[in-house]
Amino acid sequence: MASNMFVVPQTRGTVLCCKCGISMAPNPANMCVTCLRSEVDITEGLRKHVTIMHCPECDSYLQPPRTWIKAQLESKELLTFCVKRLETDLKKVRLVNAEFIWTEPHSKRLKVKLKVQKEVLNGAILEQSYVVEYVQQDHMCESCTRIQANPDQWVASVQIRQRVTHRRTFFYLEQLILKHDAAVHAIKIKQMDQGIDLFFANRSHAVKFVEFLGKVAPTRSRHDKQLVSHDSKSNNYNYKYTFSVEISPICREDLICLPPKVAASLGNLGPLVICTKVTNNITLLDPLTLRQCFLDTEQYWRHSFKSLLGSRQLVEYDIFNIEVVSPEYNLGGSKYVIADAEVARVSDYGKLFYIRTHLGHLLKPGDRALGYDLYGANSNNIELDKYKGLVLPEAILIKKSYEEKRQKKRGKPRPWKLKSLEMEVDEFRGRGNEQKVESDYEEFLRDLEENPELRFNLSLYRNREYQLSEMVSVSDGDDAPSVPLEELLADLELSEQEDGEDGMRE
Amino acid sequence: MVIYAGLQFENSCEVGVFSKLTNAYCLVAIGGSENFYSAFESELADVIPVVKTSIAGTRIIGRLCAGNKNGLLVPHNTTDQELQHLRNSLPDQVVVQRIEEKLSALGNCIACNDHVALTHTDLDKETEEIIADVLGVEVFRQTIAGNILVGSYCALSNRGGLVHPHTSIEDLDELSTLLQVPLVAGTINRGSEVIAAGMTVNDWMAFCGSDTTATELSVIESVFKLREAQPTAIVEEMRKSLIDSYV
């Protein structure tokens, strides 16, 4: 008899299996596993053949009643899906393991080996594995059917417009959309005159896109719907939804004359201001006093003023003399220095202007700058007329010109490149516009080179065709600004992305 | 035949519940058909008396009474008529004694042969003394594979014993030493662990339920030494797959 403090170690003996007589450790059924298996089949009553629906177009499988699950062959999602189809069966037994058995990809059969456990015969737990065969039946899913029937069918569309003569905003917008993958769900993208149209299959995708636009640009939108069909029995209404988004016509580097009310609300900001940055706020800079102000989207649309002069009207000036007047100011990350300058237009050296400029930190005598020629401009602006007794400066310089240096690099490829969205070009746009568009694009690329903060939100990729050696030979002391190589997304990433996408499409 | 396998009492293969076999007598329950009784009678009639009886009005006589060639112990709820009937039918040297014991299923609590008995750990001291007296045995309080109902999980004869299959090797050794007979852990009636309910045995005869497999029969045959005449070599061979311990 074992006492309380000392426990006798117990070794299990062996018994003979009551059926086949081989020696085994005793278990609740007292039969060896083989005999038990032959005796009891725990997979009895479990389905061994199941039919599943598969859409050949989008490679997805139907989970009744209506969900289509996209899954690759022999993937985790497919395994989860297969096991889920057997849910009712698997309530009776406990699932321990599931794995795929290889089948020919075109055989339309999937085989899954399941290992299950069940309690049998007074407490013994038996583990058994069995194979379930899934027969794949081809059946197009609803969305593929709809696309096949009418490939141009859309449910929601977003029409973005900006009433300006250039397309710089839309180039920038395109890059932003690519960076944030905002147009992933768009069925079609169309380039229109003064804007872009996007088409979506789902209203919520369109709403999401409109919200995205609202975050990156000062926009105003309205929406409408059009009844397409009506099922009177179930009272289902099918609509086509249209969202019209208007982006404010104020762009970077625009010269604006503020309406008196706005100027007053901003603290008497000098009526002539330059727009320095456009996101969902508009940043205005008074070049003569170096005061910066922000206009909210709402605030802008309350007054919706237009710009006085746009970047198309920039004229080149030659700087003869610069005299720094003020110390360096740091306004939101950018430095400005007020200076008096003696300039003349490159096209007409006869007339010299003495003007005040905020680019004192950048310009040196002999430099070239781009600016607005207010002396020569004939502005028909209501707002301007409202200011009685306003003396307009003769010129306002906006930025430094690197035109000469660019001449050297003309024709040579850049070390970086941008991706682009697939857009359908409307035939409406005539041939004459093409040149304009190209020069706009070139301007845009130059803008990117010159402004690091513009680049901040975009992804630039290394241009594989670019040869490094040429760049080295051409470089001289004062070079045109270019994108430093560290900012470029590695070549590897780009190719991986492209190859990866191809791989998945297989 | 030394082993009568394939026995059924009213379609139940639990032979040991409805019968009690010792070296001096055999008790059989009263059943609907005479098949059960005639099985015993055909084998034992000329050797020992086969007595049809009930105990406490029930048919589960095998589990209610405990006995050997010297005596028979019956529970307190045995009726007087049954007691008288037993006293009349059994040979004179067999002492029939009724015990006042709260554990009335004596067959489940006591496993005994002609020399030694294993009992339930909670049995009364007086009962133990009566057992020692009436049956003429040495009494040990034990458990088998952690079960206190030693009478159900062990079938004992003077030549050997079969115990619960989960009995550990140390336990087997200990019990074997106490009982002075070879013991084996095994099953009866196709893997049932309740040995004494599935079979009943004496020194030369064993009766097993109908579900008993051939393997189990061979184990029983060898441990209770029921084979007619055997060369030692075959026995040795069998022993390799069994756990025995000799004193």
Side-chain angles (χ1 to χ4, degrees):
Chain A
M1 201 78 92
S3 72
N4 284 339
M5 301 195 217
F6 165 69
V7 177
V8 181
Q10 306 278 346
T11 358
R12 288 181 80 129
T14 58
V15 242
L16 301 186
C17 162
C18 63
K19 269 187 86 173
C20 59
I22 65 167
S23 180
M24 54 160 224
N27 67 40
N30 288 318
M31 273 196 259
C32 64
V33 187
T34 344
C35 291
L36 198 53
R37 281 235 178 103
S38 66
E39 190 83 8
V40 185
D41 181 13
I42 54 177
T43 65
E44 195 182 352
L46 301 178
R47 278 183 294 177
K48 308 273 178 12
H49 282 93
V50 186
T51 315
I52 52 176
M53 299 291 184
H54 169 243
C55 173
E57 304 286 322
C58 55
D59 204 16
S60 43
Y61 297 84
L62 175 65
Q63 183 142 8
R66 265 204 243 167
T67 347
W68 288 84
I69 298 185
K70 199 165 159 90
Q72 296 281 324
L73 272 185
E74 307 230 343
S75 64
K76 239 185 340 174
E77 297 92 38
L78 193 56
L79 192 58
T80 325
F81 168 75
C82 291
V83 170
K84 255 204 178 148
R85 298 290 287 121
L86 288 178
E87 223 164 355
T88 46
D89 285 342
L90 294 176
K91 285 208 184 111
K92 301 177 209 153
V93 295
R94 211 183 93 200
L95 181 66
V96 179
N97 191 22
E99 57 184 12
F100 274 114
I101 296 179
W102 184 84
T103 48
E104 195 66 47
H106 292 282
S107 66
K108 304 224 180 285
R109 302 277 187 277
L110 287 170
K111 283 206 183 128
V112 178
K113 181 153 62 165
L114 297 163
K115 213 188 275 189
V116 291
Q117 273 182 359
K118 194 175 172 180
E119 193 186 298
V120 292
L121 290 192
N122 39 292
I125 296 182
L126 192 61
E127 194 179 276
Q128 194 175 337
S129 52
Y130 70 110
V131 177
V132 181
E133 192 177 318
Y134 294 84
V135 179
Q136 224 180 30
Q137 267 181 13
D138 276 343
H139 181 100
M140 282 227 300
C141 65
E142 288 141 23
S143 40
C144 290
T145 330
R146 225 176 281 143
I147 293 174
Q148 277 258 329
N150 183 0
D152 286 333
Q153 181 83 334
W154 52 269
V155 175
S157 85
V158 178
Q159 294 170 319
I160 319 173
R161 299 285 181 268
Q162 191 190 30
R163 314 259 171 235
V164 277
T165 50
H166 59 86
R167 286 194 75 89
R168 275 166 50 214
T169 319
F170 289 103
F171 292 135
Y172 185 62
L173 201 60
E174 187 186 341
Q175 295 306 313
L176 271 180
I177 292 174
L178 279 169
K179 173 89 180 197
H180 291 97
D181 279 335
V184 176
H185 296 285
I187 312 176
K188 200 166 58 150
I189 307 177
K190 227 166 154 190
Q191 225 179 28
M192 304 292 280
D193 177 39
Q194 290 198 329
I196 314 180
D197 279 1
L198 288 102
F199 299 94
F200 296 90
N202 203 323
R203 184 177 175 268
S204 46
H205 297 149
V207 169
K208 194 169 170 203
F209 186 75
V210 170
E211 270 179 34
F212 164 74
L213 282 178
K215 283 195 207 109
V216 297
T219 58
R220 170 163 73 169
S221 76
R222 47 168 292 168
H223 57 95
D224 268 313
K225 60 186 189 219
Q226 180 189 30
L227 186 63
V228 172
S229 69
H230 167 220
D231 181 359
S232 53
K233 295 255 173 68
S234 65
N235 273 344
N236 277 343
Y237 296 83
N238 284 340
Y239 290 100
K240 270 195 183 196
Y241 302 91
T242 321
F243 296 84
S244 169
V245 178
E246 194 188 325
I247 306 184
S248 83
I250 308 288
C251 300
R252 274 182 62 247
E253 298 166 1
D254 275 1
L255 186 67
I256 307 164
C257 179
L258 292 174
K261 272 206 181 138
V262 180
S265 73
L266 290 175
N268 269 334
L269 199 56
L272 284 177
V273 286
I274 307 174
C275 173
T276 45
K277 193 169 171 188
V278 177
T279 57
N280 52 348
N281 296 330
I282 303 176
T283 315
L284 299 169
L285 172 70
D286 183 347
L288 302 175
T289 59
L290 279 189
R291 267 181 61 199
Q292 210 179 43
C293 268
F294 297 95
L295 263 189
D296 217 349
T297 313
E298 263 181 53
Q299 279 177 306
Y300 171 75
W301 286 111
R302 232 175 279 152
H303 305 281
S304 67
F305 47 85
K306 292 212 188 62
S307 50
L308 189 59
L309 289 170
S311 54
R312 282 250 162 86
Q313 279 93 14
L314 280 172
V315 168
E316 244 188 305
Y317 285 86
D318 228 345
I319 317 269
F320 293 121
N321 222 341
I322 281 264
E323 251 178 61
V324 169
V325 169
S326 81
E328 200 176 87
Y329 287 107
N330 195 328
L331 285 174
S334 345
K335 302 189 192 66
Y336 296 108
V337 174
I338 300 194
D340 277 334
E342 201 182 310
V343 300
R345 283 169 299 192
V346 169
S347 53
D348 177 17
Y349 277 109
K351 184 88 174 110
L352 279 178
F353 301 107
Y354 296 91
I355 56 165
R356 184 156 277 203
T357 169
H358 62 287
L359 298 175
H361 60 297
L362 276 181
L363 300 172
K364 289 184 291 298
D367 271 348
R368 287 238 174 123
L370 289 168
Y372 293 111
D373 182 16
L374 288 168
Y375 171 78
N378 194 354
S379 358
N380 277 329
N381 198 324
I382 315 170
E383 316 294 344
L384 212 48
D385 294 337
K386 282 194 191 154
Y387 289 97
K388 308 241 181 327
L390 173 67
V391 177
L392 289 176
E394 285 152 340
I396 297 188
L397 298 178
I398 301 290
K399 57 182 182 180
K400 186 170 166 177
S401 164
Y402 297 98
E403 195 55 48
E404 283 177 342
K405 282 141 205 142
R406 292 207 189 277
Q407 296 273 358
K408 293 183 200 155
K409 288 210 291 185
R410 185 153 296 169
K412 301 219 170 75
R414 290 193 164 79
W416 52 274
K417 62 180 180 183
L418 297 168
K419 271 189 166 176
S420 62
L421 277 178
E422 268 179 43
M423 286 201 240
E424 233 177 70
V425 180
D426 206 12
E427 281 107 44
F428 169 66
R429 319 189 67 235
R431 290 256 178 87
N433 282 335
E434 263 179 42
Q435 220 186 16
K436 249 202 209 168
V437 169
E438 269 179 37
S439 63
D440 266 346
Y441 195 64
E442 184 63 34
E443 282 273 338
F444 172 62
L445 292 178
R446 274 189 219 163
D447 250 349
L448 281 183
E449 274 183 349
E450 288 170 22
N451 291 295
E453 45 174 67
L454 250 195
R455 289 202 292 269
F456 179 67
N457 279 327
L458 314 179
S459 324
L460 293 101
Y461 300 96
R462 194 175 291 173
N463 186 353
R464 272 181 277 185
E465 284 115 38
Y466 181 76
Q467 285 142 354
L468 201 58
S469 56
E470 275 200 53
M471 172 68 157
V472 174
S473 65
V474 172
S475 69
D476 49 33
D478 188 16
D479 208 5
S482 62
V483 179
L485 284 182
E486 304 85 57
E487 282 189 26
L488 301 180
L489 293 177
D491 199 1
L492 196 55
E493 221 184 284
L494 178 59
S495 61
E496 239 182 38
Q497 218 175 24
E498 289 184 344
D499 287 347
E501 281 170 28
D502 287 338
M504 275 171 50
R505 259 185 239 124
E506 269 173 18
Chain B
M1 243 190 315
V2 273
I3 299 193
Y4 196 112
L7 208 51
Q8 275 194 337
F9 182 84
E10 290 184 1
N11 224 19
S12 158
C13 46
E14 307 291 337
V15 175
V17 174
F18 301 103
S19 64
K20 187 101 205 149
L21 178 63
T22 68
N23 286 332
Y25 55 88
C26 177
L27 301 178
V28 179
I30 303 169
S33 77
E34 285 293 307
N35 288 336
F36 193 63
Y37 175 71
S38 51
F40 283 93
E41 214 192 358
S42 62
E43 299 298 324
L44 301 168
D46 29 354
V47 189
I48 52 174
V50 182
V51 182
K52 270 213 234 177
T53 183
S54 68
I55 293 187
T58 67
R59 298 183 299 179
I60 49 168
I61 58 173
R63 301 292 94 220
L64 289 180
C65 65
N68 61 10
K69 73 172 197 302
N70 300 321
L72 176 67
L73 298 170
V74 292
H76 63 91
N77 42 5
T78 319
T79 62
D80 292 333
Q81 289 98 313
E82 289 161 354
L83 196 55
Q84 198 55 44
H85 172 66
L86 281 169
R87 287 218 175 99
N88 292 342
S89 330
L90 294 179
D92 291 331
Q93 64 265 39
V94 178
V95 180
V96 182
Q97 176 82 352
R98 183 159 57 183
I99 310 186
E100 299 301 321
E101 163 66 60
K102 77 171 185 306
L103 301 170
S104 58
L106 299 174
N108 283 338
C109 298
I110 306 166
C112 63
N113 61 10
D114 293 334
H115 311 290
V116 74
L118 294 175
T119 61
H120 191 294
T121 49
D122 298 338
L123 219 55
D124 289 344
K125 204 76 179 81
E126 298 153 19
T127 314
E128 200 182 315
E129 285 166 13
I130 296 174
I131 296 172
D133 245 353
V134 171
L135 301 180
V137 291
E138 221 181 314
V139 178
F140 298 104
R141 289 173 193 261
Q142 268 292 350
T143 63
I144 293 184
N147 287 306
I148 44 177
L149 291 177
V150 287
S152 342
Y153 290 107
C154 159
L156 206 51
S157 83
N158 291 324
R159 318 268 288 269
L162 184 63
V163 291
H164 189 289
H166 290 184
T167 316
S168 65
I169 301 182
E170 289 82 14
D171 269 2
L172 271 180
D173 283 345
E174 192 185 333
L175 287 169
S176 180
T177 322
L178 284 177
L179 299 172
Q180 302 282 304
V181 290
L183 292 178
V184 117
T187 64
I188 188 84
N189 282 338
R190 209 167 238 281
S192 167
E193 297 156 345
V194 196
I195 313 292
M199 62 176 283
T200 181
V201 65
N202 70 5
D203 285 348
W204 69 89
M205 210 50 241
F207 292 88
C208 301
S210 54
D211 277 352
T212 314
T213 61
T215 319
E216 290 163 344
L217 285 176
S218 67
V219 171
I220 290 165
E221 214 181 356
S222 67
V223 78
F224 290 113
K225 300 194 182 43
L226 294 170
R227 243 171 277 193
E228 307 281 2
Q230 60 226 344
T232 338
I234 302 177
V235 176
E236 291 300 332
E237 222 177 275
M238 270 297 288
R239 232 167 255 146
K240 277 195 212 118
S241 52
L242 302 175
I243 304 288
D244 284 338
S245 28
Y246 287 99
V247 178

